[in-house]
Amino acid sequence: MKKTAQSWFLGGPSSGGLDKQKSASLLADWNAYASSQDPDASALGFDIESAMRTTGDKVSGTFNVVSKGVRGLPGSFQSASRNVPSAKSLMYFGVLLASGVFFIFIAFTMFLPVIVLVPQKFGICFTIGCALIVGSFFALKGPRYQLVHMSSRERLPFTLGFVGSMVGTIYVSMWLHSYVLSVLFSLLQVLPPYHL
């Protein structure tokens, strides 16, 4: 029983000649099998070695083309990474954006239900929230770039509409105390920033 178990684990016959017979390696077995086969009787119909060589040549050729294309790009890594915001500007962006969302959340949850009684609180809170959200993009892209972007010919009407609706919201909520006009100017305030 012991010899049978040993032979089973060692992969040989159960006779005592286990130590005398050394099994050949898998590569030697494969080479012996491949040399015994008739090349015309092969079911695959292609040579694995030449296929691997061809594949390797194609892959290395592809990498050469890609590397030449990357080297041929105009500019350098510094010019490409110039528009990537720094960690400090990303932090300012996140803080201003979160603050703006917080003010708008407060405006809608606390002051919209009582806008008839206190339209100025809704108007101020909503306007501060929108201003902080737009300010977050000033922090992300840089003030100069954002001002040039907002004052371009296509976006200038939207920028003027946004600033006008912010001033209008403050005016109608603080001095006129009109809740209908406060809601109207707040809605106008929401529309233009999508085009800024």
Side-chain angles (χ1 to χ4, degrees), residues 99-110:
S99 301
V101 169
F102 175 74
F103 272 99
I104 290 176
F105 177 75
I106 293 297
F108 278 107
T109 57
M110 292 181 67

Side-chain angles (χ1 to χ4, degrees), residues 54-141:
T54 305
T55 304
D57 292 343
K58 288 188 184 216
V59 168
S60 66
T62 303
F63 282 127
N64 288 338
V65 169
V66 170
S67 65
K68 285 179 187 175
V70 169
R71 276 185 262 134
L73 288 175
S76 63
F77 179 74
Q78 289 177 341
S79 66
S81 64
R82 198 172 298 152
N83 294 331
V84 176
S86 66
K88 189 175 182 181
S89 63
L90 284 174
M91 182 191 66
Y92 287 144
F93 170 75
V95 168
L96 289 172
L97 184 67
S99 301
V101 169
F102 175 74
F103 272 99
I104 290 176
F105 177 75
I106 293 297
F108 278 107
T109 57
M110 292 181 67
F111 300 127
L112 187 61
V114 292
I115 194 169
V116 176
L117 302 174
V118 283
Q120 63 272 17
K121 289 186 180 182
F122 173 78
I124 290 172
C125 207
F126 188 77
T127 302
I128 289 173
C130 287
L132 286 171
I133 289 173
V134 170
S136 69
F137 289 102
F138 274 87
L140 182 67
K141 296 179 180 178

Side-chain angles (χ1 to χ4, degrees), residues 6-40:
Q6 283 178 344
S7 66
W8 186 76
F9 282 113
L10 295 176
S14 61
S15 65
L18 290 176
D19 295 333
K20 295 178 184 174
Q21 293 180 349
K22 289 193 173 181
S23 63
S25 69
L26 183 61
L27 182 61
D29 288 344
W30 174 257
N31 288 336
Y33 171 75
S35 65
S36 69
Q37 293 294 319
D38 184 21
D40 296 333

Side-chain angles (χ1 to χ4, degrees), residues 40-58:
D40 296 333
S42 174
L44 295 176
F46 67 94
D47 185 18
I48 294 175
E49 188 176 333
S50 65
M52 291 300 288
R53 207 174 315 122
T54 305
T55 304
D57 292 343
K58 288 188 184 216

